[in-house]
Amino acid sequence: MRTRNFAVMAAAVVLAGLLAACGGGKNGGSAPGIVIDESNQTKADSVIEVKAKNFEFDQTEYRVKTGAVKFHFVSEEGVHGIRIPKTGIELRDGQTVTVTFENPGEYEIVCNIPCGTGHSKMFAKLIVEA
Ligand SMILES: [Cu+2]
């Protein structure tokens, strides 16, 4: 009995450690120099709205400056979301996240919901300028 309890506790501790190591949260990990603020308490230097419909985004390129950028995502037609790999950004319809970019860079924006026949063609670019 005593050994079993210990095993369960040890497993729980290991699991908690793994979750902490991964960063947890729906946005997963972000690259160094990128800070995600899901509660949007950070004062944004700029705001961008990304809109999606079947089966494209409203722009092929979104340009922002380094600093705190508030991203708002709207799915105007169909069910879409966005994921920006390497940044930790992941949004569904109506969601907002404030992200601080310390460095310039280029990232791909993809749809993160299997939305239909045009899903694999849904991509755009995020360009963070100095
Ligand atoms: Cu999709």
Side-chain angles (χ1 to χ4, degrees), residues 26-38:
K26 66 181 165 59
N27 277 311
S30 56
I34 297 178
V35 181
I36 302 261
D37 173 16
E38 285 180 30

Side-chain angles (χ1 to χ4, degrees), residues 80 111 113-115 119 122:
H80 307 284
C111 177
I113 299 176
C115 53
H119 176 62
M122 287 188 70

Side-chain angles (χ1 to χ4, degrees), residues 47-65:
V47 179
I48 80 164
E49 186 165 65
V50 177
K51 294 179 189 169
K53 60 179 186 176
N54 292 337
F55 291 96
E56 59 188 10
F57 295 106
D58 67 329
Q59 294 181 48
T60 53
E61 274 182 12
Y62 299 86
R63 285 174 185 271
V64 299
K65 298 272 185 201

Side-chain angles (χ1 to χ4, degrees), residues 72-123:
H72 184 60
F73 175 72
V74 180
S75 188
E76 294 189 317
E77 176 197 38
V79 181
H80 307 284
I82 54 170
R83 178 171 61 231
I84 310 181
K86 296 176 187 152
T87 66
I89 299 172
E90 192 145 7
L91 296 173
R92 301 248 159 149
D93 186 26
Q95 290 185 326
T96 300
V97 68
T98 305
V99 182
T100 303
F101 294 93
E102 288 168 11
N103 306 306
E106 277 195 28
Y107 306 93
E108 195 173 38
I109 303 175
V110 297
C111 177
N112 66 348
I113 299 176
C115 53
T117 50
H119 176 62
S120 59
K121 289 182 218 140
M122 287 188 70
F123 54 84

